[in-house]
Amino acid sequence: MNISPEDWLDINDWDKLVILKKHLSQQEYANVVKDWYISTEFVHTDLQKWKDTFNSITNKNLLMTYDELNFFNNLPEKITIYRGSYSRFGISWTLNKDTAEWFANRFKPVNTPETVNTQVFKQEVYRDNCVAYFNDRDEDEIIYVED
């Protein structure tokens, strides 16, 4: 990769990810994706790009730590997931209803149009249709990408 540090700063983050995928091992790339995802506050602004990025990882197990993978693999075949938001169309879900309620209500005092109509969405899904389980932030997060 012959990109100067100055030029690297001018490259769009999504384009950087495409470049990194070509130059990193699958594990390194999965680590970058997870770290970037975990540090992103508003995934919905680039929802399709996140869906495409998660779908581009052929071995989803690489996204999870050993403990996360062990937990995920020991979940029942069918699980209940929750999402606290103004829309059910997102990839960030949780196994914990209380966590979903916190997300549904966290911006209520701001009283913007998006937060006025927030709620907790619930659905039953097959574990094998989920991308990953993350617990870096103690949120029991399930990454679920619907078609």
Side-chain angles (χ1 to χ4, degrees):
M1 198 166 35
N2 294 329
I3 300 172
S4 72
E6 295 81 21
D7 289 340
W8 184 255
L9 293 174
D10 292 334
I11 298 173
N12 168 294
D13 285 342
W14 290 103
D15 293 336
K16 286 178 186 174
L17 203 57
V18 171
I19 293 168
L20 289 173
K21 186 172 186 180
K22 295 176 185 175
H23 296 281
L24 298 176
S25 71
Q26 288 184 25
Q27 182 64 70
E28 291 167 329
Y29 178 72
N31 291 345
V32 168
V33 169
K34 180 181 180 180
D35 289 346
W36 187 23
Y37 172 80
I38 294 294
S39 66
T40 301
E41 179 66 28
F42 298 111
V43 172
H44 68 276
T45 59
D46 290 310
L47 185 58
Q48 189 57 54
K49 288 180 181 179
W50 278 112
K51 287 179 177 183
D52 294 344
T53 298
F54 279 119
N55 285 332
S56 77
I57 297 174
T58 53
N59 184 352
K60 309 290 193 264
N61 292 346
L62 297 176
L63 289 162
M64 296 176 269
T65 65
Y66 174 81
D67 289 339
E68 290 170 338
L69 182 58
N70 187 46
F71 182 88
F72 182 75
N73 286 336
N74 284 295
L75 288 171
E77 181 181 342
K78 199 165 194 183
I79 59 175
T80 302
I81 57 176
Y82 304 91
R83 176 173 168 74
S85 181
Y86 63 91
S87 170
R88 68 173 304 282
F89 299 105
I91 61 174
S92 302
W93 292 76
T94 180
L95 297 170
N96 187 317
K97 187 177 180 183
D98 290 339
T99 299
E101 288 173 357
W102 182 85
F103 276 101
N105 294 308
R106 71 180 175 151
F107 295 124
K108 288 279 186 177
V110 177
N111 203 27
T112 62
E114 293 85 15
T115 61
V116 171
N117 297 317
T118 57
Q119 60 183 306
V120 173
F121 298 92
K122 173 184 173 182
Q123 66 177 326
E124 302 286 322
V125 299
Y126 288 98
R127 179 193 64 222
D128 291 346
N129 291 338
C130 298
V131 173
Y133 167 80
F134 297 151
N135 203 29
D136 299 75
R137 299 175 289 195
D138 295 323
E139 296 173 355
D140 286 319
E141 184 170 10
I142 292 289
I143 305 302
Y144 179 68
V145 179
E146 293 182 276
D147 293 330

